[in-house]
Amino acid sequence: MKLELGYIFIKDIQFGNVSKVEGGVLYVNKDELKKLVMEDTVIASVDFDIAKPGESVRITPVKDVIEPRVKVEGTGAMFPGMLNKVETVGNGKTHVLKGAAVVTCGKIVGFQEGIIDMSGEGAKYTPFSETLNLVMVADPVEGTKQHDHEKAIRMAGLKVAAYIGELGKNVKADEYHTFETPNMVEGMKLYPNLPRVAYVLMLQTQGLLHDTYVYGVDMKQSISTLIYPTEIMDGAILSGNCVSACDKNTTYHHQNNPVVHDMFDAHGKTINFVGVIITNENVYLMDKERSSDWSAKMAAMLGLDGVIISQEGFGNPDTDLIMNCKKIEAKGIKTVIITDEYAGRDGKSQSLADADVAANAVVTGGNANEVIVLGSMKKIIGKADTTVVNTIAGGFGSDPVHGASLKDDGSIIVEIQAITGATNELGFNKMSAR
């Protein structure tokens, strides 16, 4: 499978009468976007704003972040199974509006949305303080159930990202990058002396607003399976979950998965990158056993020498992580796991809810319980009142030491758990440990 990504570097976003990409500037007609989103009768109101790096702007509660992309050549279209018919992606040519992002925001859904600060202390913890953000603020019709609310905002964000992505279809890209994975037979012939390595990508699928979609299918309804890494780059996997903001994989994270990119960089040099095993993180023990059994079985069937395993979420999924690790290690295959920690505010508690001696090569994205102070901002996009800030995961309505998270001057004392992408377990963040 071969995919060529053409990067169109976006230097600025502005509202205008005509939606277009010209001279590195993304111009957006706000009224056209509103009309597109309001096609869904579940949505009562929508507005759009722009947030740029370095501005005194806070965005909250953030639900998802999506990178605008468009298929130029090859089969399929963006977000197959969601916006478009189910057809295999990951091949041909795709244009990327690099530097731009669509951020979905609005009335809180599941109390695990996040905060993005474009400047100040909070900006140091989120990669999205460095993107030019087109922010959609949408609220549902009164009385809408949570699952319907989540779906409406998810679909609206995808529609907006697809609309914006189309603007780059006929624009000449600034750079082209090619990614290719040969089939197993060809791969063995090409690199017979390199270790065979795959990536086990764990997807959040616990239900109750904790879902991830693959070609439009809720992954909790599937078993572990194989996927070409270029399919992930091309919109095959989408976020539909409201887990804690710090370690949630947004759709943007999937589109730009750094583990996939790094393994491609090493492919044919130090490793033979065989492909990706995607597996779920269900709630019940039987489902966990089944999925981890299948992950280990496929790793053995592929004749792997090593795997990298990344987690999404914390607590209950720690069990899935350790099951995958120890079962794959038992097959004689070396593992490296990527996770984050909930080690208490003092960092002295057990980092993971589960452990095993087989997990002896670990990369951490940081301690989500670390407490920081976010200074007040001149502008709020969305809503940053007590119903949001004191409620979202990482915030606190009252605390014996800190009091409430939201202070009278607009500053916030919060665990970095509340910051979108702060401890991301793909390594798409700014923290780790040595």
Side-chain angles (χ1 to χ4, degrees):
M1 187 81 81
K2 183 178 179 181
L3 177 66
E4 189 176 20
L5 293 181
Y7 292 161
I8 301 166
F9 293 113
I10 302 300
K11 305 179 185 72
D12 193 18
I13 300 180
Q14 299 177 20
F15 289 122
N17 294 326
V18 179
S19 295
K20 61 182 178 179
V21 174
E22 187 174 87
V25 179
L26 170 60
Y27 297 93
V28 178
N29 183 308
K30 186 189 293 190
D31 292 333
E32 289 179 5
L33 289 182
K34 286 184 178 181
K35 183 178 178 181
L36 179 68
V37 173
M38 291 302 294
E39 290 174 355
D40 190 334
T41 56
V42 171
I43 295 178
S45 65
V46 66
D47 201 1
F48 289 88
D49 211 328
I50 293 169
K52 302 177 183 180
E55 293 182 335
S56 182
V57 174
R58 172 165 296 143
I59 312 168
T60 191
V62 173
K63 290 161 180 54
D64 198 12
V65 185
I66 311 159
E67 185 170 59
R69 299 185 172 200
V70 61
K71 289 295 295 179
V72 177
E73 298 173 5
T75 63
M78 277 298 103
F79 314 128
M82 280 288 186
L83 292 188
N84 295 288
K85 66 180 182 180
V86 179
E87 194 172 4
T88 301
V89 293
N91 61 86
K93 183 185 293 184
T94 294
H95 279 180
V96 182
L97 300 190
K98 186 57 67 178
V102 173
V103 177
T104 59
C105 180
K107 186 178 179 181
I108 203 161
V109 177
F111 309 107
Q112 288 183 299
E113 284 90 347
I115 298 170
I116 295 174
D117 280 359
M118 301 305 294
S119 62
E121 188 66 18
K124 300 175 184 178
Y125 291 84
T126 174
F128 303 115
S129 63
E130 299 176 3
T131 50
L132 292 158
N133 298 319
L134 176 67
V135 185
M136 180 191 81
V137 183
D139 287 331
V141 172
E142 194 68 33
T144 299
K145 300 296 184 183
Q146 284 177 296
H147 283 82
D148 295 328
H149 182 186
E150 184 280 319
K151 181 180 179 181
I153 303 303
R154 169 168 32 98
M155 296 303 293
L158 297 177
K159 286 180 183 178
V160 171
Y163 172 96
I164 298 299
E166 283 285 340
L167 303 177
K169 189 165 188 175
N170 297 313
V171 177
K172 188 178 185 300
D174 298 298
E175 288 180 7
Y176 284 97
H177 298 264
T178 302
F179 305 89
E180 184 174 11
T181 303
N183 65 40
M184 284 186 281
V185 175
E186 291 172 342
M188 293 181 77
K189 290 178 181 177
L190 283 171
Y191 311 113
N193 298 318
L194 292 179
R196 294 173 58 77
V197 183
Y199 174 29
V200 176
L201 172 58
M202 294 172 54
L203 303 174
Q204 177 60 254
T205 56
Q206 291 177 286
L208 298 175
L209 305 174
H210 291 50
D211 297 306
T212 303
Y213 297 87
V214 180
Y215 282 96
V217 175
D218 189 335
M219 187 58 189
K220 71 171 172 283
Q221 299 171 348
S222 180
I223 55 175
S224 303
T225 188
L226 290 169
I227 191 171
Y228 277 104
T230 52
E231 293 177 82
I232 302 171
M233 294 175 162
D234 226 10
I237 301 179
L238 307 175
S239 173
N241 69 64
C242 302
V243 296
S244 290
C246 64
D247 55 15
K248 172 169 81 173
N249 293 334
T250 67
T251 298
Y252 190 105
H253 284 102
H254 289 300
Q255 293 170 303
N256 294 277
N257 188 311
V259 179
V260 169
H261 278 267
D262 287 352
M263 293 182 80
F264 265 126
D265 286 344
H267 182 52
K269 301 169 187 173
T270 57
I271 65 169
N272 181 356
F273 182 21
V274 175
V276 180
I277 298 169
I278 54 174
T279 186
N280 51 29
E281 299 175 352
N282 283 335
V283 176
Y284 296 110
L285 181 60
M286 179 178 69
D287 296 321
K288 294 177 183 294
E289 294 284 10
R290 181 191 301 112
S291 294
S292 55
D293 282 349
W294 275 71
S295 296
K297 178 177 67 176
M298 282 189 288
M301 288 175 67
L302 293 170
L304 299 178
D305 299 297
V307 298
I308 295 174
I309 309 170
S310 68
Q311 181 184 8
E312 182 176 13
F314 69 99
N316 188 292
D318 293 350
T319 302
D320 302 84
L321 175 68
I322 297 302
M323 281 185 172
N324 281 309
C325 173
K326 69 182 182 182
K327 289 180 181 181
I328 293 171
E329 286 271 356
K331 301 285 187 183
I333 302 167
K334 295 180 180 179
T335 65
V336 174
I337 63 174
I338 311 175
T339 182
D340 66 350
E341 303 171 60
Y342 284 75
R345 294 175 184 175
D346 59 2
K348 296 180 180 178
S349 299
Q350 181 173 317
S351 296
L352 298 176
D354 199 358
D356 191 89
V357 292
N360 57 9
V362 183
V363 178
T364 173
N367 177 19
N369 295 134
E370 180 184 339
V371 176
I372 62 168
V373 178
L374 308 179
S376 60
M377 293 287 159
K378 293 180 180 178
K379 180 178 178 180
I380 303 295
I381 300 178
K383 199 172 185 180
D385 61 13
T386 55
T387 61
V388 173
V389 175
N390 292 341
T391 304
I392 58 175
F396 27 88
S398 62
D399 181 272
V401 176
H402 303 294
S405 282
L406 183 63
K407 303 303 179 184
D408 292 339
D409 63 357
S411 63
I412 299 172
I413 299 178
V414 69
E415 293 183 358
I416 62 172
Q417 180 180 176
I419 299 176
T420 301
T423 64
N424 180 261
E425 293 159 292
L426 302 177
F428 200 122
N429 67 329
K430 302 179 181 182
M431 298 175 64
S432 190
R434 297 183 183 181

